[in-house]
Amino acid sequence: MTVLLDVGGLVKHYADGTRRREVLHGMSFALAEGEVLAITGPSGSGKTTLLNACAGLLVPDAGSIRLTTQSGTVDLARLGEGARTRLRRHHIGYVFQFFNLVPTLSVRENVLLPLALTGRQSLAARALERVAELGLAESLDAFPDQLSGGERQRVAIARALAHEPRLVLADEPTGNLDAASASTVIELLCRHVRDLGAGLLVATHDSAVAARADRNVGVVR
Ligand SMILES: Nc1ncnc2c1ncn2[C@@H]1O[C@H](COP(=O)(O)OP(=O)(O)OP(=O)(O)O)[C@@H](O)[C@H]1O
Ligand SMILES: [Mg+2]
């Protein structure tokens, strides 16, 4: 078993009025290649904070986030912003809770954006095939505001996978979907992650998603 992501002793403080609020409280876990790990916990416990830290979008106040790629192992908590951005662009795919699609770009352009940013146009054909597998072949020229919530969610998934990252992060990927669409979306996400040999961290309130994961890790409030 190859460990892809090794998180140890993570702590983040936020200013809460005049007080400091601690989240994550030193949480530790590891994610193996090919593994699907569900991150569960009550609202406000720190699931999004954890995913943002693993994406290199925020730096924790303590702890390490060791990501292993073809080029070796690095600790995101010790890297500067430029290095974290490069690492994210190449090795991490993030399905944001509220999609974060670019409203002025079409579905095709949104999905291909990670390839434009890293100059890896050779992955474009496969990325567009994945759009079709996600049931969006007819929507390639549509803009995000012409799509339903479930369709936007699937575009966000296709975009997160376009550059074939090692680590996929998904924040409540079924949060806006009915039970049937939720189960389709999570199946597709898990299948594509498995096909890429990547690891998936999925923050969720949905017990069906948690049950679909190989393991669950709880975040304590
Ligand atoms: N930028 C910020 N500034 C101050 N406090 C913050 C900030 N971001 C998050 N928090 C606080 O940190 C705590 C954890 O937030 P986080 O968004 O990580 O929780 P969550 O588990 O994802 O919640 P939910 O299930 O509602 O999405 C919350 O109490 C929140 O108010
Ligand atoms: Mg959240």
Side-chain angles (χ1 to χ4, degrees), residues 12-16 21-24 40-52 58 97-98 171-172 203-205 219 221:
K12 176 70 188 171
H13 293 107
Y14 288 117
D16 177 8
R21 171 152 155 55
E22 183 186 286
V23 293
L24 303 178
T40 60
S43 181
S45 57
K47 300 180 297 296
T48 297
T49 301
L50 173 67
L51 292 187
N52 284 342
L58 72 79
Q97 188 163 7
F98 301 107
D171 199 354
E172 305 282 359
T204 189
H205 284 118
V219 183
R221 201 158 200 287

Side-chain angles (χ1 to χ4, degrees), residues 40-183:
T40 60
S43 181
S45 57
K47 300 180 297 296
T48 297
T49 301
L50 173 67
L51 292 187
N52 284 342
C54 293
L57 289 170
L58 72 79
V59 179
D61 294 309
S64 57
I65 306 164
R66 296 165 62 79
L67 177 68
T68 299
T69 69
Q70 302 88 315
S71 355
T73 300
V74 285
D75 183 353
L76 274 94
R78 303 278 173 281
L79 291 181
E81 192 174 347
R84 278 185 277 120
T85 301
R86 280 192 295 280
L87 202 74
R88 182 167 58 251
R89 282 186 180 168
H90 283 95
H91 302 295
I92 300 175
Y94 199 162
V95 184
F96 293 93
Q97 188 163 7
F98 301 107
F99 323 129
N100 282 8
L101 299 176
V102 183
T104 52
L105 298 183
S106 69
V107 166
R108 182 198 319 274
E109 290 163 337
N110 265 284
V111 170
L112 296 182
L113 188 59
L115 304 182
L117 291 174
T118 50
R120 286 195 288 173
Q121 309 298 347
S122 60
L123 299 178
R126 180 69 194 104
L128 293 175
E129 259 172 53
R130 224 176 270 116
V131 174
E133 287 161 21
L134 286 159
L136 293 163
E138 314 284 288
S139 306
L140 277 170
D141 296 314
F143 288 86
D145 67 359
Q146 298 171 314
L147 302 177
S148 73
E151 288 165 342
R152 286 182 218 183
Q153 196 102 55
R154 283 178 278 148
V155 177
I157 289 173
R159 184 182 59 180
L161 299 172
H163 53 304
E164 309 200 346
R166 304 294 297 141
L167 173 64
V168 180
L169 308 168
D171 199 354
E172 305 282 359
T174 62
N176 306 281
L177 306 178
D178 60 72
S181 312
S183 125

